[in-house]
Amino acid sequence: MARISLGNVCKSFKGLKVIKSVSLTVEDGEFCVFVGPSGCGKSTLLRMIAGLEDVTSGQILIDDQDVTKLEPFDRQLSMVFQSYALYPHLTVRQNIAFALETAKQPKEVIECKVAEAARTLKLEDYLDRRPSALSGGQRQRVAIGRAIVREPRAFLFDEPLSNLDAALRGETRVEIASLHKSLAATMIYVTHDQVEAMTLADRIVVLNKGEIMQVGSPRELYEHPGNVFVAQFLGSPRMNLIDAASDGEAGVMLPGNQRLDIGQRSPENIRTVGVRPEQISITDDGDAAIKGTIKLCEYHGSVLSLIVDAGPMGDISVLAPSAGALVEGARVSLDLPADALHFFDELGHRVTPSAQA
Amino acid sequence: MKPHVILRWFVFVTAALVMNFPVIATFITALKAPAEIARNPSLVVHNPTIENFVTVLTVSDRLNIYHYLWNSLIAASIGSILPIVVAFPIAWAIVRRGYGRNILFPLVVNLRALPLVIFAVPLYLMFSVVNLLDTRLGLGLVLAVVNLPLALMLLVNAVAEIPIELEEAARMDGARLPRLILRIVLPLCRPAFITTFVFGFITAWNEFLFGLILTTQKAVPMTVGASFFFATSGGGVQWGVAAAVMIVAALPPLLLGLIMYRKITGSMVSGAVKG
Ligand SMILES: Nc1ncnc2c1ncn2[C@@H]1O[C@H](COP(=O)(O)OP(=O)(O)O)[C@@H](O)[C@H]1O
Ligand SMILES: [Mg+2]
C-alpha cells in the first residue's frame, strides 16, 4: 500500500480553471474522503490521481515516485466508477479476472483470487452471469470485486453508492468500511454526501470550487470548522449563521440590538456567529437574547426539526426533543450555549476568542 | 372477421403485391418457356418450366455463371471486409482522440455524395500501370473505397456508443492499448461489424459500373456477367434466361441479409453502466 501526495496540482479545461493548486498527502492505509458540492472538482481531482486526466501543472507522487506523467496502467491503482463500468460482454467471473489476466497471472492464481473476491462480496452464485442480468447492488459489488481482486497501491472510489437506493447504500457503506479495515488499504473516496464522508473517513478533504476548504478528521471538521463553507456543508440541518459584531467585551451584538454573552472576550473582527441546530435549546427564560415564533415544526421521530422565525436574525433551525409539546405559531425563547458558538470574520474564516476576558 | 379487419388485410396484401411486383414478375417470367413469354404476358404460368434455370446454370464455352459468382464473392468479400479493417482504427482515433474529426471524417463521409464514376478514368489508367485491371483484387479494392464512407460512419457511431468509462476501467485494470482494443472495444463493436459487412457486401455485390469498366474476362463479376446472358445466341433478348440469371444473381445477398438480419439489430452495451 502506498502514500499519495499532491503538490500544487492544477487543472484547466480549455482555460477554465477547475482545480486551483491543491496540495495534499494521503497517508499509507488512510481512508480519505473528498467531499464537496457537485461540480467542485472532486472527480477531476480523483481522475488526475488515477491518470485518466492529465495534470495542467503540479505533481503527483505515489510513495515518492513521481507518477505525474505516467499512464493509468503504470500507476497500479484500482478505481470503482460511479456508473460501475462493467464490461457488458464478459461474465462476472471474467470481469473480476480481467485485471489479473492483464497482469498475466497463472490460471490457478486467478481462479483462486476470483473465488475469494466472490466470497467476500457474496457473488458466488452470479459468477457466470452477464452484468445485464444483475441488480444494481450486485453490479456495484462486481465493480468493487474487480478493484479488490488484485493488490493495487491504492483504491479510488468515485461516488460508488450514488446509484443505489437508500437501504442498499447504507449496507454497502458498511461493507466498504469493513473492506478498508480488512485490507488496511489506502483509499480515496469521492462523494457529495456528507453522511458517507463523516461515517467512512479517517480524514475528510472538503473541496469547493476547485480549492481545498479544510482537511481534518470528521470530528475536527464538525467541531472546529475552519470557515463558513465547511461549517454549513457538514451537518444537517445546516449550521445557523447570524450576523454579529463584537461589543468589545465578553459578548456580541446581534441584529435587533440584542446582546449575546459568549463568556470570553470577543474578537474585534467577528462578523458572524454560528450555532448548530442541535445545540440550541428551547427555554422559558424571558430574557433570552433570541426569541421567535415557530414557523415550521417537522416530526422526525427521534427529534423535532423546527424553523423559528427570529425577526431581525432571520430563520433559525433548531432540533428539539420530540417529547416536547411544540406547535407551529408558538412563541419560544432560544438558548445558545456559549461553548457551542462558532465565530467567523468577514472573509468567512474561523476566529477564536482569546481566553482572557 | 369484421369488415375493417378484412379491409386492412386487403390493403396490406395489395401494397405488398404492388411493391414487389418487379420481383414477382421476374420470377414468373423465369418459369416460362420462350414460346409462352411471347404470347402470355399474364402472371399465371400455364406450363411452368425450369428450363431457363438449367440454361443459366449450365456451363457453356462462352458463359460460366459459377465463374461470375466466384468473382463476385471474392471481390465483394474484399470490398466489404477491407473497409471494416481500415475504418475501425480510424473510427476509434476519431472518437477517442479527436483525430480528423473536423476535416477527414466529414470529407470521407461526403465521398458518398460524389458520383463515383468521375474516378473511373484515372482509376483505369492507374490500374493498368499496376496490373490490377481485370483482377478480383483490383475490383475488390475499388469496392472497398465505395464502401469506406458507410463503414466509417457506422463504426464511428459504434465506438461513440461505448461508454468511455469502460475504456477507462480497462486502463485502470492495467490494459494497454492493444488489449483495450482487442478485449473491450472490438467485441463491443461486433454488431456494427456485422451491419457494416452485410450492407457493404450487398452494395459491393450489386455494383455494376466499376465491374464493367475494370474487368474484361478473368474477374467479371455477376452483375456484369448477367448482362451477357441477355443476348446469348444471336437473336433478340431471351427474357426467360435473363429473368433466371437475375434471380440467381440476387440470391446470395438476399440469403446473407436473411441470415444476418437478427444479428444486425441489438446493442452490446446493456448492463455496462448504471441500472
Ligand atoms: N472533460 C471536461 N471538459 C470540460 N470541463 C469539465 C470536464 N470534466 C469536468 N469539467 C468541469 O469541471 C468541473 C468539475 O467537474 P467534476 O470534477 O466532475 O465535479 P464533481 O465530481 O465534484 O461533481 C465542472 O464544472 C465540470 O463542468
Ligand atoms: Mg463527480
Side-chain angles (χ1 to χ4, degrees):
Chain A
M1 283 299 148
R3 176 171 181 253
I4 298 175
S5 304
L6 309 182
N8 297 316
V9 168
C10 299
K11 176 74 186 176
S12 305
F13 285 113
K14 303 195 186 82
L16 187 75
K17 270 206 151 183
V18 172
I19 300 291
K20 298 160 196 155
S21 190
V22 166
S23 294
L24 175 77
T25 298
V26 180
E27 295 298 337
D28 187 6
E30 186 174 39
F31 199 124
C32 179
V33 174
F34 295 174
V35 69
S38 163
C40 71
K42 309 175 296 279
S43 297
T44 305
L45 196 57
L46 192 75
R47 290 165 55 81
M48 283 196 285
I49 296 172
L52 295 172
E53 212 73 75
D54 52 2
V55 175
T56 306
S57 70
Q59 70 176 173
I60 300 174
L61 304 180
I62 302 180
D63 274 344
D64 299 324
Q65 177 200 6
D66 187 345
V67 300
T68 316
K69 294 260 144 44
L70 292 189
E71 290 284 338
F73 37 76
D74 289 325
R75 299 192 186 192
Q76 296 161 41
L77 305 171
S78 279
M79 181 152 166
V80 176
F81 292 80
Q82 176 171 9
S83 60
Y84 316 147
L86 303 180
Y87 311 126
H89 57 300
L90 302 181
T91 62
V92 169
R93 185 193 307 280
Q94 291 166 325
N95 262 280
I96 297 177
F98 187 84
L100 299 174
E101 280 168 9
T102 307
K104 298 208 169 62
Q105 300 227 6
K107 259 209 162 63
E108 314 82 73
V109 176
I110 294 179
E111 234 164 72
C112 181
K113 286 187 173 172
V114 170
E116 192 189 322
R119 186 150 13 86
T120 313
L121 294 163
K122 301 193 222 70
L123 285 170
E124 287 134 310
D125 296 341
Y126 310 107
L127 280 175
D128 293 314
R129 291 205 195 167
R130 294 274 174 86
S132 55
L134 298 178
S135 71
Q138 290 162 346
R139 286 181 201 180
Q140 177 55 280
R141 293 213 295 281
V142 176
I144 293 175
R146 214 168 51 177
I148 62 169
V149 73
R150 65 211 170 97
E151 279 114 53
R153 294 155 92 182
F155 292 94
L156 311 177
F157 295 87
D158 190 355
E159 310 223 17
L161 306 185
S162 59
N163 287 333
L164 300 180
D165 61 54
L168 213 49
R169 201 179 309 157
E171 237 171 77
T172 315
R173 200 175 71 209
V174 174
E175 279 172 23
I176 290 178
S178 72
L179 208 59
H180 175 241
K181 281 210 186 69
S182 63
L183 298 173
T186 310
M187 293 188 173
I188 303 181
Y189 186 104
V190 162
T191 180
H192 66 270
D193 181 318
Q194 46 148 327
V195 178
E196 276 173 39
M198 297 291 275
T199 51
L200 286 170
D202 293 324
R203 216 149 53 106
I204 295 180
V205 177
V206 182
L207 291 166
N208 186 32
K209 296 186 182 149
E211 283 178 290
I212 293 186
M213 290 285 114
Q214 196 176 357
V215 182
S217 71
R219 185 176 287 273
E220 272 164 27
L221 297 196
Y222 193 76
E223 293 177 0
H224 303 283
N227 49 57
V228 171
F229 181 83
V230 175
Q232 289 217 301
F233 189 78
L234 299 177
S236 171
R238 316 199 294 172
M239 180 187 280
N240 295 296
L241 295 180
I242 306 168
D243 291 341
S246 169
D247 72 347
E249 293 168 41
V252 289
M253 297 309 292
L254 302 180
N257 234 1
Q258 292 287 344
R259 184 175 178 281
L260 180 67
D261 189 55
I262 64 169
Q264 291 162 306
R265 186 184 168 74
S266 67
E268 285 300 319
N269 53 351
I270 286 183
R271 288 294 174 274
T272 314
V273 167
V275 60
R276 296 205 179 273
E278 69 271 24
Q279 289 177 311
I280 301 176
S281 48
I282 311 264
T283 76
D284 308 328
D285 181 0
D287 294 336
I290 302 178
K291 297 193 192 69
T293 316
I294 299 180
K295 200 161 117 181
L296 185 75
C297 176
E298 282 178 341
Y299 178 71
H300 285 205
S302 55
V303 290
L304 286 178
S305 173
L306 310 176
I307 305 279
V308 175
D309 179 359
M313 283 162 245
D315 289 350
I316 294 181
S317 50
V318 178
L319 290 181
S322 60
L326 296 164
V327 289
E328 283 168 19
R331 290 285 297 172
V332 288
S333 300
L334 304 181
D335 177 36
L336 280 52
D339 58 1
L341 301 179
H342 304 265
F343 305 100
F344 304 99
D345 66 15
E346 62 190 314
L347 294 174
H349 296 309
R350 182 181 193 83
V351 292
T352 321
S354 47
Q356 68 273 25
Chain B
M1 272 207 279
K2 296 202 183 89
H4 74 270
V5 178
I6 296 172
L7 186 67
R8 193 179 295 167
W9 274 103
F10 177 75
V11 173
F12 283 161
V13 171
T14 312
L17 284 178
V18 169
M19 288 186 203
N20 288 301
F21 182 76
V23 181
I24 298 166
T26 307
F27 187 68
I28 287 174
T29 306
L31 295 176
K32 290 179 182 171
E36 189 171 346
I37 293 175
R39 74 190 133 69
N40 172 21
S42 87
L43 287 180
V44 183
V45 191
H46 296 304
N47 301 304
T49 170
I50 57 164
E51 194 61 37
N52 294 319
F53 286 99
V54 173
T55 311
V56 165
L57 294 176
T58 308
V59 178
S60 69
D61 41 351
R62 206 169 69 79
L63 295 169
N64 181 351
I65 192 169
Y66 305 104
H67 180 61
Y68 307 140
L69 283 170
W70 177 247
N71 288 340
S72 270
L73 180 71
I74 299 296
S77 297
I78 296 173
S80 52
I81 293 171
L82 189 63
I84 297 178
V85 175
V86 173
F88 174 66
I90 302 175
W92 190 84
I94 287 175
V95 175
R96 295 301 187 214
R97 298 285 164 85
Y99 295 143
R101 190 183 310 196
N102 299 325
I103 296 172
L104 182 69
F105 183 47
L107 199 73
V108 172
V109 170
N110 281 325
L111 206 61
R112 265 188 98 69
L114 284 179
L116 287 170
V117 67
I118 62 170
F119 295 117
V121 172
L123 261 177
Y124 185 90
L125 297 175
M126 277 169 12
F127 269 36
S128 69
V129 172
V130 294
N131 288 328
L132 280 175
L133 278 181
D134 201 20
T135 61
R136 290 183 282 263
L137 174 65
L139 183 58
L141 288 177
V142 173
L143 295 176
V145 174
V146 172
N147 277 327
L148 194 65
L150 180 73
L152 192 63
M153 215 152 40
L154 290 173
L155 294 180
V156 160
N157 282 338
V159 175
E161 222 173 75
I162 301 175
I164 182 91
E165 289 101 321
L166 289 186
E167 293 190 21
E168 291 176 345
R171 288 165 72 203
M172 292 306 294
D173 275 348
R176 284 160 204 280
L177 195 56
R179 183 164 164 83
L180 171 74
I181 297 290
L182 288 178
R183 289 282 285 151
I184 305 297
V185 184
L186 214 65
L188 292 177
C189 285
R190 207 182 65 196
F193 290 148
I194 295 175
T195 311
T196 312
F197 172 71
V198 172
F199 282 131
F201 190 89
I202 292 173
T203 305
W205 184 278
N206 291 330
E207 207 282 335
F208 180 78
L209 183 66
F210 286 112
L212 185 67
I213 296 170
L214 300 176
T215 66
T216 46
Q217 213 167 2
K218 292 204 307 283
V220 171
M222 191 62 238
T223 43
V224 177
S227 65
F228 297 168
F229 284 85
F230 278 49
T232 32
S233 46
V237 176
Q238 298 193 11
W239 287 113
V241 175
V245 77
M246 280 192 270
I247 297 287
V248 173
L251 275 181
L254 186 73
L255 287 178
L256 182 75
L258 284 178
I259 294 168
M260 295 298 198
Y261 173 71
R262 265 164 221 290
K263 306 216 166 137
I264 288 179
T265 48
S267 157
M268 288 288 289
V269 293
S270 74
V273 294
K274 295 194 188 160

